[in-house]
Amino acid sequence: MAFLLVSAYLLLTHAQGAPVENGALLETLKSQVGLFSNKSEHYSAQVRPPGTSRQIPQTIIIGVRKGGTRALLEMLDIHPNIVVAATEVHFFDWDENYVKGIDWYRNLMPFSYGNQITIEKTPGYFTSPQAPGRIHDMNSSIKLLLILRDPTERVISDYTQVYYNRVEIAPINKSSSLIC
């Protein structure tokens, strides 16, 4: 896809014979082909490829923090018959999203062809008391992929990430408070 975008960009800039101001042409191309930052909110602005529609996921990945759910999703996304939601949707575990309804949820999914499987990943569904019933009410035959990890390895990984984020963020917060 990146090759296609760069080719189209070069073709158009060459055809127009003028330099591109502030990347405006590139941004136009991105929006026309549906390339945006990795945020599910932008799916609604994508151009719909012919023969596709937004499907409610047939599979949901659930699990624990630092359990490997993101890695699994990225590996599955390599397969041409799988499309994945760009971010964790938190539809079934957050009441403020659930009350928006199933059409809102569907609209956050990527466009897919009939032969493709749509997958969503929100590990928080695993620890949510209301998520199982809500998921079952939507689709009683949905496939849930539960990712677990050795508890000791997981807590060390979680601690390391929290510690690293504090070490990285603390100098930024201190320097910004000195500026104020």
Side-chain angles (χ1 to χ4, degrees):
M1 186 56 109
F3 176 76
L4 175 65
L5 182 61
V6 170
S7 298
Y9 174 76
L10 292 174
L11 181 64
L12 287 174
T13 56
H14 179 71
Q16 291 178 348
V20 177
E21 295 294 325
N22 298 327
L25 181 58
L26 182 58
E27 292 306 312
T28 302
L29 282 170
K30 282 182 179 180
S31 65
Q32 287 175 351
V33 239
L35 290 179
F36 295 95
S37 63
N38 192 21
K39 297 211 182 227
S40 60
E41 294 84 355
H42 292 298
Y43 278 136
S44 60
Q46 281 188 339
V47 175
R48 178 182 172 195
T52 63
S53 62
R54 288 194 171 98
Q55 304 291 325
I56 290 175
Q58 296 95 337
T59 302
I60 297 177
I61 298 173
I62 60 175
V64 293
R65 192 165 85 174
K66 305 306 297 171
T69 55
R70 169 63 54 194
L72 175 62
L73 185 72
E74 289 181 11
M75 294 300 156
L76 290 172
D77 192 27
I78 294 170
H79 196 284
N81 288 340
I82 293 177
V83 293
V84 301
T87 61
E88 295 178 11
V89 179
H90 289 280
F91 178 67
F92 299 104
D93 60 340
W94 291 358
D95 292 335
E96 61 269 23
N97 288 343
Y98 191 71
V99 297
K100 295 176 183 176
I102 198 75
D103 289 332
W104 177 85
Y105 179 60
R106 182 183 293 114
N107 215 25
L108 294 176
M109 297 301 129
F111 288 110
S112 62
Y113 293 97
N115 65 328
Q116 291 180 310
I117 298 169
T118 301
I119 298 179
E120 185 226 328
K121 173 197 82 85
T122 302
Y125 296 161
F126 179 61
T127 57
S128 167
Q130 65 269 30
R134 290 174 174 178
I135 293 169
H136 183 269
D137 290 346
M138 177 197 69
N139 179 353
S140 61
S141 64
I142 196 164
K143 306 292 186 270
L144 298 176
L145 297 178
L146 172 61
I147 307 301
L148 299 174
R149 184 175 180 185
D150 176 272
T152 305
E153 290 179 14
R154 190 192 71 74
V155 78
I156 291 170
S157 177
D158 194 23
Y159 174 81
T160 303
Q161 182 180 17
V162 169
Y163 178 79
Y164 176 79
N165 287 340
R166 285 198 179 147
V167 168
E168 290 295 311
I169 293 171
I172 294 170
N173 288 341
K174 286 179 185 176
S175 64
S176 64
S177 64
L178 294 175
I179 295 171
C180 299

